[in-house]
Amino acid sequence: MAGSANIEEVKKHVRIYMIVFASLAFLTIVTVAIAYLHLPITWALIIALVIATIKGTLVASFFMHLVSEKKVIYSFLILTVVFLIALFILTISAFHDQAGGKLVP
Amino acid sequence: MDIPYTIKARPDTGVYNAKLGIWLFLASEVMLFGGLFSAYIFLRIGSAEWPGMINGQMYKSASEILNIPIGTFNTLVLISSSVTMVMSWASLMMKDFKKYRLYLGLTILLAFVFLIVKGFEYSEKFEHHFYPAKSTFLAIYFTLTGLHGLHVIGGIIVNAYFWGPGSKMWKTQPERFTNRIEIAGLYWHFVDIVWIFLFPTIYLL
């Protein structure tokens, strides 16, 4: 990467970084503002996670250069996401299985 | 002995070795934090009240215990540090070593600001006798934010090395050094992403 990109190209990247920065700051304020609306927990959860995912994707795509990364990195990341989802599913299903979905006071 | 593929991409993977290495490390980090996040989900869906009883008092929302404005401030600090980190790499790409040092220095400074603010938050909790052993909520809060804080400290150490003694490499092997900063940046942005998910799920929900 270091030798291939020219200075003009990097300058273009810098402009994108600034746009991403502004978007991240804006989305942070939006998340906090929505939290103060005290929406029902399901909606609050969905909105918070959607915004966090958008923010995370922005950081990963532009700051971590995932928009233009090699196939090998993508394949490792897809595998990681599969394992992460499996981990969440196992944990949540374990709750419904072992605890029978009962709440602890 | 020369370490192979520190600058050029390895033909079979298409990336230089350190980049593959850091992504594998980050994949393991995803599972580390993922395990703790799933523990958090497990504890939370199993609780009738969240955060629940602490020191004989009932708390119905995390915002009654945690300080949202301070958490928001720290989120903005960490996002800013991600920008300065990527700018330090971009500066090296543009062969501007002075700007690189400025931006990396700012990244380290912002990381310290984050930790200092977090330290104030922790001490405020301790003043109210909010310790990890006092409730499930506090246990998972301190575990997740504590582990994240350790990652911030790790980032400071690595970045401080590249700001100081490690930066000598710029004179001898500038491309290799630029790649090193890209790798350090990938780690730092990951730490930022973890916080991006931690902040709303723990403070706001």
Side-chain angles (χ1 to χ4, degrees), chain B residues 55 119-131 134 142:
Chain B
N55 296 333
F120 277 118
E121 268 192 280
Y122 273 17
S123 62
E124 194 202 342
K125 303 287 159 290
F126 297 149
E127 272 172 30
H128 291 90
H129 302 284
F130 287 159
Y131 300 112
K134 293 279 182 172
F142 280 111

Side-chain angles (χ1 to χ4, degrees), chain B residues 162-202:
Chain B
F162 287 138
W163 187 86
S167 66
K168 280 180 202 153
M169 187 186 264
W170 174 250
K171 284 182 185 159
T172 54
Q173 301 178 77
E175 291 192 332
R176 187 175 173 194
F177 184 66
T178 306
N179 282 350
R180 283 189 162 190
I181 298 307
E182 187 181 16
I183 297 305
L186 287 173
Y187 170 80
W188 190 251
H189 302 312
F190 171 79
V191 174
D192 186 21
I193 290 178
V194 170
W195 184 258
I196 282 173
F197 281 94
L198 268 184
F199 172 63
T201 46
I202 292 190

Side-chain angles (χ1 to χ4, degrees), chain A residues 28-38, chain B residues 61-76 117-118 121 124-125 141 195 199-200 202-205:
Chain A
T28 303
I29 305 299
V30 170
T31 317
V32 176
I34 288 172
Y36 280 109
L37 294 177
H38 300 292
Chain B
S61 118
S63 60
E64 291 172 36
I65 299 167
L66 304 176
N67 191 325
I68 293 179
I70 285 183
T72 310
F73 173 78
N74 247 356
T75 307
L76 294 172
V117 171
K118 202 89 208 95
E121 268 192 280
E124 194 202 342
K125 303 287 159 290
Y141 163 75
W195 184 258
F199 172 63
I202 292 190
Y203 282 69
L204 304 178
L205 291 175

Side-chain angles (χ1 to χ4, degrees), chain B residues 33 115 118 122 139-153 195 198:
Chain B
F33 280 101
L115 283 182
K118 202 89 208 95
Y122 273 17
I140 201 75
Y141 163 75
F142 280 111
T143 306
L144 276 168
T145 57
L147 184 69
H148 179 264
L150 285 177
H151 279 76
V152 173
I153 293 170
W195 184 258
L198 268 184

Side-chain angles (χ1 to χ4, degrees), chain B:
Chain B
M1 191 190 83
D2 271 349
I3 301 171
Y5 305 113
T6 52
I7 300 167
K8 283 185 182 159
R10 217 181 114 118
D12 51 358
T13 61
V15 292
Y16 57 93
N17 279 357
K19 186 179 266 186
L20 189 64
I22 191 75
W23 275 112
L24 281 173
F25 172 67
L26 293 182
S28 77
E29 290 274 88
V30 167
M31 295 312 286
L32 171 67
F33 280 101
L36 287 169
F37 261 109
S38 70
Y40 170 58
I41 296 168
F42 186 82
L43 294 168
R44 181 146 188 185
I45 58 177
S47 303
E49 296 289 347
W50 191 263
M53 289 288 273
I54 304 171
N55 296 333
Q57 200 184 327
M58 177 60 90
Y59 294 92
K60 295 214 166 188
S61 118
S63 60
E64 291 172 36
I65 299 167
L66 304 176
N67 191 325
I68 293 179
I70 285 183
T72 310
F73 173 78
N74 247 356
T75 307
L76 294 172
V77 166
L78 219 51
I79 288 171
S80 308
S81 79
S82 248
V83 179
T84 53
M85 184 79 224
V86 80
M87 284 305 295
S88 72
W89 171 78
S91 303
L92 287 183
M93 293 290 280
M94 293 188 278
K95 319 282 179 214
D96 192 337
F97 185 74
K98 270 191 182 170
K99 270 197 176 164
Y100 151 75
R101 276 197 116 179
L102 172 73
Y103 282 122
L104 195 66
L106 280 173
T107 309
I108 297 165
L109 190 74
L110 288 165
F112 271 114
V113 170
F114 179 89
L115 283 182
I116 290 165
V117 171
K118 202 89 208 95
F120 277 118
E121 268 192 280
Y122 273 17
S123 62
E124 194 202 342
K125 303 287 159 290
F126 297 149
E127 272 172 30
H128 291 90
H129 302 284
F130 287 159
Y131 300 112
K134 293 279 182 172
S135 86
T136 314
F137 167 79
L138 289 173
I140 201 75
Y141 163 75
F142 280 111
T143 306
L144 276 168
T145 57
L147 184 69
H148 179 264
L150 285 177
H151 279 76
V152 173
I153 293 170
I156 289 175
I157 294 168
V158 171
N159 288 342
Y161 173 73
F162 287 138
W163 187 86
S167 66
K168 280 180 202 153
M169 187 186 264
W170 174 250
K171 284 182 185 159
T172 54
Q173 301 178 77
E175 291 192 332
R176 187 175 173 194
F177 184 66
T178 306
N179 282 350
R180 283 189 162 190
I181 298 307
E182 187 181 16
I183 297 305
L186 287 173
Y187 170 80
W188 190 251
H189 302 312
F190 171 79
V191 174
D192 186 21
I193 290 178
V194 170
W195 184 258
I196 282 173
F197 281 94
L198 268 184
F199 172 63
T201 46
I202 292 190
Y203 282 69
L204 304 178
L205 291 175

